[in-house]
């Protein structure tokens, strides 16, 4: 069975990002209705992030960056 969600540490390992970078990205995702649905926070200390959703966010950021250049 393919894993759909990961905690912060797992997402950092999968995508090769630092925990601080991931925290910044999650803040941006939470503020954007298109991406906020990919973050589940069932309690204060627990956060589950959709692996596919985070990948979509990175693609979105990459495309936005290309448009700026």
């Amino acid at each position: 069975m393919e894993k759909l969600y990961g905690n912060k540490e797992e997402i950092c390992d999968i995508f090769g990002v630092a925990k601080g970078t991931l925290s910044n990205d999650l803040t941006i995702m939470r503020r954007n209705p298109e991406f906020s649905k990919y973050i589940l926070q069932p309690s204060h200390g627990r956060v589950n992030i959709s692996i596919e959703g985070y990948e979509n966010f990175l693609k979105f950021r990459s495309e936005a960056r290309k448009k700026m250049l």
Side-chain angles (χ1 to χ4, degrees):
M1 184 174 160
E2 185 178 338
K3 190 169 182 149
L4 301 176
Y5 286 85
N7 60 28
K8 287 183 178 182
E9 291 80 18
E10 292 169 328
I11 296 296
C12 287
D13 288 342
I14 292 169
F15 290 98
V17 297
K19 201 167 185 178
T21 300
L22 178 60
S23 293
N24 291 339
D25 288 347
L26 292 178
T27 298
I28 296 167
M29 288 176 73
R30 284 185 181 103
R31 292 177 181 169
N32 186 326
E34 184 179 343
F35 296 106
S36 64
K37 62 186 174 190
Y38 295 123
I39 302 170
L40 303 177
Q41 191 161 3
S43 67
H44 177 70
R46 255 175 64 197
V47 177
N48 293 321
I49 304 119
S50 166
I51 295 169
E52 182 180 347
Y54 189 67
E55 181 178 9
N56 290 340
F57 173 75
L58 292 177
K59 288 177 183 177
F60 168 78
R61 292 288 301 260
S62 179
E63 289 301 316
R65 183 176 178 275
K66 287 178 188 175
K67 288 178 184 177
M68 293 178 69
L69 297 177

